[in-house]
Amino acid sequence: MSRISKLFYKLFFIVGLLSIAFFQSPLISEAKAETTEKDIRQNSITSKDKRFIDNGDETITDTKTNLMWMKQDSYLRSGHWLHWFESIKYVKKLNEEQFANYMDWEMPSIEELKSLYEPGKFNSSQNGREMKIYIDPIFAKNGSGGHWSGEKNGMHSAFGVIYNNGSVFSHPKKSRARKAVRAVRRLP
């Protein structure tokens, strides 16, 4: 075989490999994506009352309120208590990092936080304290017993909810006293 023929076959072989890689890679990626979504649906865990669904991506969907929550609060994810201003920055960072592939995380409202409180469901005790947390046990254990909302109470205070009794608190915005945030998304 001549030198030109060998060069032609090598070139033809390389072009063939490139065309296979170029044309089939989207199909392979789509198949992987479909498999992943299917696996997540099949492996979903629901709460005993079927209200909450663990989506398998560190999020929980509330079928009653049509909200998606972080499974862990900011304390469990970072190991630090947050004041209100830090909570806002934390949620902004979740969006920048596209936590669980979403960019629309928000600080929850008081009503949204109160919807998580269920006195008949014991989750755990607050880390480092005896405060009992009464939210569904599908959420991660030993987090904060009090979560900030996005709602202000004047210039220097903000509201949140305590999960041992479902009450609303108003504390100084710069208070970190065993407080965290659990970011939320509103589903369509």
Side-chain angles (χ1 to χ4, degrees):
M1 204 185 290
S2 74
R3 193 173 188 188
I4 295 174
S5 297
K6 287 181 184 179
L7 183 60
F8 176 74
Y9 283 117
K10 285 181 184 178
L11 182 62
F12 181 73
F13 181 74
I14 291 170
V15 169
L17 288 176
L18 290 174
S19 65
I20 289 169
F22 178 76
F23 289 111
Q24 288 188 354
S25 64
L27 298 175
I28 292 168
S29 297
E30 288 173 17
K32 285 182 182 177
E34 287 176 22
T35 301
T36 303
E37 290 172 20
K38 184 179 177 184
D39 290 343
I40 289 171
R41 284 192 302 272
Q42 288 178 346
N43 295 327
S44 293
I45 299 169
T46 58
S47 58
K48 286 184 181 180
D49 62 2
K50 307 288 188 225
R51 175 181 170 184
F52 294 100
I53 301 168
D54 184 333
N55 300 309
D57 61 356
E58 293 301 311
T59 66
I60 305 289
T61 297
D62 184 343
T63 62
K64 180 178 174 182
T65 61
N66 214 31
L67 298 171
M68 180 183 284
W69 295 93
M70 292 175 56
K71 184 173 183 170
Q72 296 180 314
D73 64 24
S74 61
Y75 175 76
L76 289 173
R77 287 184 47 88
S78 71
H80 302 286
W81 303 113
L82 301 179
H83 60 58
W84 189 75
F85 296 107
E86 291 168 330
S87 295
I88 292 170
K89 288 180 185 175
Y90 181 85
V91 173
K92 182 179 178 184
K93 186 176 177 186
L94 290 174
N95 287 321
E96 290 168 358
E97 294 173 354
Q98 296 182 21
F99 175 72
N101 294 319
Y102 299 105
M103 297 173 41
D104 56 352
W105 293 101
E106 297 181 22
M107 293 281 289
S109 69
I110 294 168
E111 292 306 311
E112 289 167 341
L113 288 172
K114 286 173 69 175
S115 75
L116 292 178
Y117 172 71
E118 295 187 86
K121 293 182 178 180
F122 175 69
N123 176 283
S124 60
S125 294
Q126 178 173 285
N127 193 18
R129 237 176 133 182
E130 293 300 317
M131 181 188 292
K132 305 294 183 207
I133 300 172
Y134 292 100
I135 63 174
D136 198 284
I138 201 165
F139 288 94
K141 312 283 186 270
N142 303 113
S144 176
H147 288 150
W148 288 110
S149 78
E151 299 178 39
K152 302 175 194 176
N153 185 16
M155 286 183 56
H156 304 288
S157 296
F159 292 109
V161 172
I162 298 172
Y163 292 113
N164 69 334
N165 60 15
S167 66
V168 174
F169 68 78
S170 175
H171 287 194
K173 292 177 183 175
K174 291 194 176 182
S175 170
R176 283 191 187 105
R178 299 193 180 277
K179 292 179 193 67
V181 65
R182 187 180 304 273
V184 68
R185 296 181 59 244
R186 287 155 195 88
L187 300 175

